[in-house]
Amino acid sequence: AVVSTQSTGVNARIFPDVESLVRVQEQINASHDRVKCHRLSCVTKEQTDIVKAAQQDKNKEYRCIIRTEGEVTGEMLERLNSIRDLTLDQDTPLRVLHRRTPLLRKRRILSVNARLLTEKEVAMVTNDSTTFSKRLLVAEVVSESGTYIKEFAHGDFGRTSPCVGSILGVRCDILSLDVVGLKIAWPPPPPASPDKGQSEMGE
């Protein structure tokens, strides 16, 4: 969903007030039935720095879609979902080796919550739903900051061990990866509307 600041009357160079943010949020939510936002607010550079600093030493939550070469059974899923505080040996991934120092790192996977995609979800990913009905997983992974999650999925030709592929016993590849959470107090609370703020001050 794309909403022009001109259509909302908001000057993009100035911190908008609460009413302007509400207006932008309403236009975003009305522009598409599959994209919604809430608690839209502005942040300062100092608040952004908190997130940047937290990326270095906080746990992160990811959601990824993994494709396997063979069908995944319930027992295989149980094995994957039993992971708690798993230590990985991770060599610098091949995809970043040209710009990163070759180094063996110890990283931790704190938990994995994986399931097979439903038939409806499979149809959204591929046209061949019959072939991939039991070969597509969605996994929510909580890891130590600095963990290479793509490589945790497919193993990077043995450079990350163990990996999802070695745990399941089938070759795996990752189709999508999203960061869905960072273990910090964020975002900052949205500003109170002028009316609410005035009433609280009056009390």
Side-chain angles (χ1 to χ4, degrees), residues 44-61:
T44 64
K45 180 182 181 300
E46 291 73 20
Q47 292 168 332
T48 304
D49 289 341
I50 295 174
V51 175
K52 291 180 179 179
Q55 290 178 349
Q56 305 302 317
D57 57 6
K58 299 294 184 182
N59 298 332
K60 291 184 178 179
E61 299 177 55

Side-chain angles (χ1 to χ4, degrees), residues 11-39:
N11 187 338
R13 300 190 179 189
I14 301 175
F15 250 50
D17 55 25
V18 177
E19 287 77 9
S20 298
L21 289 173
V22 170
R23 188 164 63 250
V24 172
Q25 177 173 299
E26 289 175 347
Q27 289 202 17
I28 292 173
N29 291 339
S31 66
H32 201 292
D33 60 354
R34 295 177 64 182
V35 176
K36 302 295 179 184
C37 73
H38 62 97
R39 296 181 62 194

Side-chain angles (χ1 to χ4, degrees), residues 6-189:
Q6 294 181 349
S7 66
T8 60
V10 175
N11 187 338
R13 300 190 179 189
I14 301 175
F15 250 50
D17 55 25
V18 177
E19 287 77 9
S20 298
L21 289 173
V22 170
R23 188 164 63 250
V24 172
Q25 177 173 299
E26 289 175 347
Q27 289 202 17
I28 292 173
N29 291 339
S31 66
H32 201 292
D33 60 354
R34 295 177 64 182
V35 176
K36 302 295 179 184
C37 73
H38 62 97
R39 296 181 62 194
L40 187 64
S41 60
C42 290
V43 295
T44 64
K45 180 182 181 300
E46 291 73 20
Q47 292 168 332
T48 304
D49 289 341
I50 295 174
V51 175
K52 291 180 179 179
Q55 290 178 349
Q56 305 302 317
D57 57 6
K58 299 294 184 182
N59 298 332
K60 291 184 178 179
E61 299 177 55
Y62 299 87
R63 182 177 295 119
C64 54
I65 295 179
I66 298 171
R67 181 180 60 194
T68 65
E69 279 202 351
E71 290 189 358
V72 176
T73 66
E75 187 273 333
M76 294 163 71
L77 275 177
E78 288 180 9
R79 199 158 61 231
L80 185 60
N81 288 332
S82 67
I83 289 177
R84 294 293 183 275
D85 203 17
L86 174 69
T87 299
L88 307 180
D89 290 324
Q90 287 203 310
D91 269 319
T92 303
L94 292 175
R95 62 185 172 89
V96 299
L97 196 55
H98 65 285
R99 55 185 171 86
R100 296 282 177 87
T101 303
L103 184 66
L104 180 64
R105 301 166 177 82
K106 296 285 187 181
R107 290 292 185 263
R108 291 184 305 135
I109 299 294
L110 304 182
S111 66
V112 176
N113 183 17
R115 63 171 176 82
L116 288 168
L117 266 65
T118 65
E119 291 184 6
K120 183 178 180 179
E121 291 169 333
V122 171
M124 295 174 65
V125 176
T126 176
N127 292 327
D128 191 358
S129 57
T130 302
T131 301
F132 292 99
S133 62
K134 293 186 178 180
R135 294 171 53 190
L136 289 173
L137 304 175
V138 57
E140 296 180 355
V141 181
V142 180
S143 74
E144 178 183 12
S145 181
T147 305
Y148 292 108
I149 300 300
K150 291 180 179 179
E151 284 66 28
F152 170 60
H154 56 62
D156 199 27
F157 299 100
R159 299 176 68 85
T160 289
S161 180
C163 65
V164 174
S166 65
I167 293 168
L168 294 180
V170 293
R171 290 182 61 180
C172 296
D173 198 5
I174 189 164
L175 301 184
S176 69
L177 176 66
D178 296 294
V179 179
V180 296
L182 189 61
K183 297 294 188 178
I184 60 173
W186 186 264

